Amino acid sequence: MNSLVLTQRQEPDQSLALTLAGAIDEEADYSVVKSAGVASVTFDFEKVKLINSTGLQRWIKFLESFAPTVAMAFRRCSIRTVTQINMFPGFLAGRKVAIESFFAPYFCEACDLSIELLLDYAAHKADLDKMKAPKMNCSRCRKEAEFDGIEKKYFVFLKK
Amino acid sequence: MSVHAFVSDAIFTQHLAPLAGKLGRCAIRRLPSAEALLAIGPRDGGPDLYVVEEALLQQEPARRTAVMRRRGLVLLTAQDVESTIRLFAENEALRHVHSINDALLGRQLETTLAQILADAPLPLTRYLASGASLQSMVVKSSQAKQGVIDAIVFDVAPVVAFADLAGVVATVTSELLMNAVFNAPHDAKRGLPKYRDLPRDETLTLAAGEEVRAFFGHDEGALVLGVEDRFGMLSRATLAANLLRASRIGAAQIKMQTAGAGVGLYMVINAATQLDVYVERGKLTRLTAVIGVSKRYRDFERLGHSLNYFGKEGDG
């Protein structure tokens, strides 16, 4: 039983976009991914809800199956994914990976709610390069939300 | 039997003094110095317990080593999880390290001291506020893992907490279960692990007597997740070595050539504010993870990480 659903879109320019949904665990099956001839690959982690220890092993082996010349980018990294990259830099399999966007914990006082907001790296580069959380608005009430993590801990993965 | 505390005023008043009466007839006394602690000799009626704040030992470096060798020591530290693991690994006599950066310190100390004083595993309800219920499930196959995770996440869904709590719970449950199912069963005659080297994607059906019990419950401040097996094979030395390797960033952090990655318990202690390992050699292993529940993710991130090893015998 495959715990991870992989949706792949291959573009004429030899770029591959992979959307992952579910669990990166011992049952995740990457054999459906056609990595041959790919020039660049982008991974979308928004719907990844679990990454366990055996899943890390399989994931690293999967990344290693791409030729060293293949450019890699991560986008829409879930908080789970960011947490694991922070704890295990090996998640990047020693590759130079561009982080395009990721979710971060924020808190909206007006809604009294813990929320996850998507941060675009390019749009917030000035703040993020200083490991500073950008000002963001609540996705519900549009009022300013407060970053709800510890900046020097949460943004470490951007330096890896 | 007494609990001797070499701690600051604040820690004593807020967290230790309120435990009086909750630990049977055990008295709680405050000590003025490490010297006073070391002057206490063995007594009849069982070993004394020592709760010591690491920061105070920095002021008495000459006595630090001797204090760290004391049996029954519960060390309170302000260090991060990696340093806590290092303390545990580098001091062989040390079995109990608690974070003082924790709103739950008082209740954590209560369970730790109560478990040290007890002759049997502490009732799991002691980890929760009075009246909170605990549910349990018997797991007979590796394939049951997802069902257990789903059941626990479903139960936790109404808890008002930070957005990623479900992910934290799923991670801890997954690691505790996989560890118990694949690593715990040992061949009784040869004393060797039976399933440790099996690929983790292989469906493993446990033999009679090898079943694992998973349990969970929560109250307003914490969620308790745990797993028991009937083998009792996890030694303090193995636990310490595993956590130490997994906490060190580098090529050896994640094992790539073995069936298991060897980082599961490190994931658990990172997610949990307390990880208790209770072992009766050859009979029982119980791993209990306490996860702090808060509305704010930042409060969860700020919680410390405590580690306890309760080994009854044959600790290799």
Side-chain angles (χ1 to χ4, degrees), chain B residues 113-135:
Chain B
L113 295 171
Q115 181 61 84
I116 297 171
L117 293 166
D119 289 329
L122 209 60
L124 293 162
T125 47
R126 279 292 289 268
Y127 285 89
L128 294 166
S130 174
S133 63
L134 201 73
Q135 300 181 53

mmCIF file of all heavy atoms in Angstrom, chain B residues 113-135:
data_model
loop_
_atom_site.group_PDB
_atom_site.id
_atom_site.type_symbol
_atom_site.label_atom_id
_atom_site.label_comp_id
_atom_site.label_asym_id
_atom_site.label_seq_id
_atom_site.Cartn_x
_atom_site.Cartn_y
_atom_site.Cartn_z
ATOM 1 N N LEU B 113 9.714 11.244 40.141
ATOM 2 C CA LEU B 113 10.041 10.836 41.514
ATOM 3 C C LEU B 113 9.157 9.677 41.952
ATOM 4 O O LEU B 113 9.627 8.719 42.586
ATOM 5 C CB LEU B 113 9.894 12.031 42.464
ATOM 6 C CG LEU B 113 10.888 13.176 42.210
ATOM 7 C CD1 LEU B 113 10.527 14.405 43.047
ATOM 8 C CD2 LEU B 113 12.323 12.752 42.504
ATOM 9 N N ALA B 114 7.879 9.718 41.572
ATOM 10 C CA ALA B 114 6.966 8.631 41.942
ATOM 11 C C ALA B 114 7.404 7.322 41.293
ATOM 12 O O ALA B 114 7.364 6.260 41.917
ATOM 13 C CB ALA B 114 5.539 8.979 41.533
ATOM 14 N N GLN B 115 7.868 7.407 40.022
ATOM 15 C CA GLN B 115 8.295 6.184 39.347
ATOM 16 C C GLN B 115 9.584 5.628 39.953
ATOM 17 O O GLN B 115 9.731 4.420 40.104
ATOM 18 C CB GLN B 115 8.494 6.442 37.851
ATOM 19 C CG GLN B 115 8.912 5.220 37.052
ATOM 20 C CD GLN B 115 7.890 4.095 37.106
ATOM 21 O OE1 GLN B 115 6.933 4.075 36.364
ATOM 22 N NE2 GLN B 115 8.069 3.131 38.018
ATOM 23 N N ILE B 116 10.493 6.498 40.337
ATOM 24 C CA ILE B 116 11.732 6.009 40.961
ATOM 25 C C ILE B 116 11.397 5.305 42.277
ATOM 26 O O ILE B 116 11.980 4.275 42.607
ATOM 27 C CB ILE B 116 12.724 7.166 41.220
ATOM 28 C CG1 ILE B 116 13.155 7.826 39.907
ATOM 29 C CG2 ILE B 116 13.965 6.654 41.956
ATOM 30 C CD1 ILE B 116 13.960 9.112 40.094
ATOM 31 N N LEU B 117 10.448 5.870 42.991
ATOM 32 C CA LEU B 117 10.105 5.318 44.305
ATOM 33 C C LEU B 117 9.266 4.042 44.203
ATOM 34 O O LEU B 117 9.218 3.249 45.139
ATOM 35 C CB LEU B 117 9.327 6.365 45.125
ATOM 36 C CG LEU B 117 10.136 7.608 45.534
ATOM 37 C CD1 LEU B 117 9.203 8.704 46.028
ATOM 38 C CD2 LEU B 117 11.162 7.253 46.609
ATOM 39 N N ALA B 118 8.616 3.832 43.059
ATOM 40 C CA ALA B 118 7.695 2.690 42.931
ATOM 41 C C ALA B 118 8.443 1.406 42.601
ATOM 42 O O ALA B 118 9.527 1.432 42.020
ATOM 43 C CB ALA B 118 6.680 2.988 41.842
ATOM 44 N N ASP B 119 7.844 0.288 42.958
ATOM 45 C CA ASP B 119 8.416 -1.016 42.630
ATOM 46 C C ASP B 119 7.903 -1.544 41.294
ATOM 47 O O ASP B 119 8.396 -2.547 40.790
ATOM 48 C CB ASP B 119 8.059 -2.039 43.724
ATOM 49 C CG ASP B 119 8.824 -1.744 45.000
ATOM 50 O OD1 ASP B 119 9.947 -1.223 44.901
ATOM 51 O OD2 ASP B 119 8.289 -2.013 46.089
ATOM 52 N N ALA B 120 6.886 -0.901 40.777
ATOM 53 C CA ALA B 120 6.246 -1.378 39.547
ATOM 54 C C ALA B 120 6.023 -0.187 38.623
ATOM 55 O O ALA B 120 6.148 0.961 39.051
ATOM 56 C CB ALA B 120 4.908 -2.025 39.912
ATOM 57 N N PRO B 121 5.707 -0.476 37.352
ATOM 58 C CA PRO B 121 5.451 0.664 36.454
ATOM 59 C C PRO B 121 4.307 1.532 36.963
ATOM 60 O O PRO B 121 3.291 1.022 37.429
ATOM 61 C CB PRO B 121 5.103 0.010 35.118
ATOM 62 C CG PRO B 121 4.970 -1.440 35.354
ATOM 63 C CD PRO B 121 5.626 -1.764 36.652
ATOM 64 N N LEU B 122 4.506 2.804 36.884
ATOM 65 C CA LEU B 122 3.519 3.767 37.370
ATOM 66 C C LEU B 122 2.231 3.656 36.537
ATOM 67 O O LEU B 122 2.311 3.512 35.324
ATOM 68 C CB LEU B 122 4.109 5.166 37.174
ATOM 69 C CG LEU B 122 3.703 6.301 38.094
ATOM 70 C CD1 LEU B 122 4.054 5.988 39.541
ATOM 71 C CD2 LEU B 122 4.385 7.594 37.644
ATOM 72 N N PRO B 123 1.068 3.718 37.171
ATOM 73 C CA PRO B 123 -0.163 3.738 36.353
ATOM 74 C C PRO B 123 -0.099 4.915 35.386
ATOM 75 O O PRO B 123 0.268 6.029 35.775
ATOM 76 C CB PRO B 123 -1.276 3.939 37.388
ATOM 77 C CG PRO B 123 -0.683 3.524 38.691
ATOM 78 C CD PRO B 123 0.787 3.811 38.605
ATOM 79 N N LEU B 124 -0.427 4.657 34.138
ATOM 80 C CA LEU B 124 -0.257 5.691 33.117
ATOM 81 C C LEU B 124 -1.146 6.907 33.345
ATOM 82 O O LEU B 124 -0.832 8.009 32.874
ATOM 83 C CB LEU B 124 -0.529 5.089 31.737
ATOM 84 C CG LEU B 124 0.529 4.060 31.346
ATOM 85 C CD1 LEU B 124 0.032 3.175 30.227
ATOM 86 C CD2 LEU B 124 1.817 4.747 30.961
ATOM 87 N N THR B 125 -2.218 6.721 34.065
ATOM 88 C CA THR B 125 -3.100 7.863 34.358
ATOM 89 C C THR B 125 -2.388 8.902 35.230
ATOM 90 O O THR B 125 -2.820 10.047 35.295
ATOM 91 C CB THR B 125 -4.380 7.386 35.064
ATOM 92 O OG1 THR B 125 -4.005 6.492 36.116
ATOM 93 C CG2 THR B 125 -5.315 6.682 34.104
ATOM 94 N N ARG B 126 -1.285 8.517 35.876
ATOM 95 C CA ARG B 126 -0.532 9.485 36.686
ATOM 96 C C ARG B 126 0.070 10.601 35.831
ATOM 97 O O ARG B 126 0.419 11.661 36.316
ATOM 98 C CB ARG B 126 0.617 8.788 37.440
ATOM 99 C CG ARG B 126 0.248 8.065 38.721
ATOM 100 C CD ARG B 126 -0.188 8.992 39.867
ATOM 101 N NE ARG B 126 0.857 9.793 40.468
ATOM 102 C CZ ARG B 126 1.583 9.456 41.519
ATOM 103 N NH1 ARG B 126 1.392 8.288 42.106
ATOM 104 N NH2 ARG B 126 2.482 10.275 42.018
ATOM 105 N N TYR B 127 0.211 10.319 34.536
ATOM 106 C CA TYR B 127 0.772 11.335 33.641
ATOM 107 C C TYR B 127 -0.247 12.415 33.273
ATOM 108 O O TYR B 127 0.101 13.423 32.675
ATOM 109 C CB TYR B 127 1.274 10.693 32.341
ATOM 110 C CG TYR B 127 2.579 9.941 32.497
ATOM 111 C CD1 TYR B 127 2.599 8.597 32.844
ATOM 112 C CD2 TYR B 127 3.789 10.585 32.282
ATOM 113 C CE1 TYR B 127 3.782 7.904 32.979
ATOM 114 C CE2 TYR B 127 4.989 9.902 32.405
ATOM 115 C CZ TYR B 127 4.979 8.558 32.755
ATOM 116 O OH TYR B 127 6.159 7.891 32.883
ATOM 117 N N LEU B 128 -1.514 12.142 33.597
ATOM 118 C CA LEU B 128 -2.581 13.058 33.198
ATOM 119 C C LEU B 128 -3.285 13.627 34.414
ATOM 120 O O LEU B 128 -3.193 13.086 35.516
ATOM 121 C CB LEU B 128 -3.598 12.304 32.327
ATOM 122 C CG LEU B 128 -3.073 11.822 30.970
ATOM 123 C CD1 LEU B 128 -4.030 10.811 30.359
ATOM 124 C CD2 LEU B 128 -2.871 12.994 30.018
ATOM 125 N N ALA B 129 -3.999 14.706 34.188
ATOM 126 C CA ALA B 129 -4.765 15.306 35.277
ATOM 127 C C ALA B 129 -5.832 14.319 35.750
ATOM 128 O O ALA B 129 -6.297 13.469 34.980
ATOM 129 C CB ALA B 129 -5.418 16.592 34.788
ATOM 130 N N SER B 130 -6.199 14.464 37.005
ATOM 131 C CA SER B 130 -7.205 13.578 37.583
ATOM 132 C C SER B 130 -8.485 13.614 36.740
ATOM 133 O O SER B 130 -8.965 14.675 36.361
ATOM 134 C CB SER B 130 -7.483 14.056 39.018
ATOM 135 O OG SER B 130 -8.530 13.323 39.557
ATOM 136 N N GLY B 131 -9.011 12.425 36.433
ATOM 137 C CA GLY B 131 -10.263 12.347 35.677
ATOM 138 C C GLY B 131 -10.076 12.136 34.188
ATOM 139 O O GLY B 131 -11.018 11.747 33.497
ATOM 140 N N ALA B 132 -8.861 12.391 33.686
ATOM 141 C CA ALA B 132 -8.623 12.189 32.247
ATOM 142 C C ALA B 132 -8.537 10.693 31.958
ATOM 143 O O ALA B 132 -7.974 9.936 32.739
ATOM 144 C CB ALA B 132 -7.333 12.880 31.825
ATOM 145 N N SER B 133 -9.113 10.298 30.843
ATOM 146 C CA SER B 133 -9.115 8.856 30.539
ATOM 147 C C SER B 133 -7.978 8.495 29.593
ATOM 148 O O SER B 133 -7.432 9.346 28.894
ATOM 149 C CB SER B 133 -10.453 8.457 29.922
ATOM 150 O OG SER B 133 -10.614 9.131 28.691
ATOM 151 N N LEU B 134 -7.669 7.219 29.606
ATOM 152 C CA LEU B 134 -6.576 6.701 28.788
ATOM 153 C C LEU B 134 -7.145 5.578 27.930
ATOM 154 O O LEU B 134 -7.876 4.721 28.432
ATOM 155 C CB LEU B 134 -5.489 6.161 29.718
ATOM 156 C CG LEU B 134 -4.095 6.031 29.172
ATOM 157 C CD1 LEU B 134 -3.446 7.404 29.026
ATOM 158 C CD2 LEU B 134 -3.256 5.181 30.108
ATOM 159 N N GLN B 135 -6.831 5.602 26.655
ATOM 160 C CA GLN B 135 -7.316 4.532 25.771
ATOM 161 C C GLN B 135 -6.131 3.671 25.346
ATOM 162 O O GLN B 135 -5.013 4.158 25.252
ATOM 163 C CB GLN B 135 -7.961 5.134 24.529
ATOM 164 C CG GLN B 135 -9.141 6.033 24.858
ATOM 165 C CD GLN B 135 -9.766 6.599 23.596
ATOM 166 O OE1 GLN B 135 -10.113 5.870 22.694
ATOM 167 N NE2 GLN B 135 -9.881 7.912 23.551
#
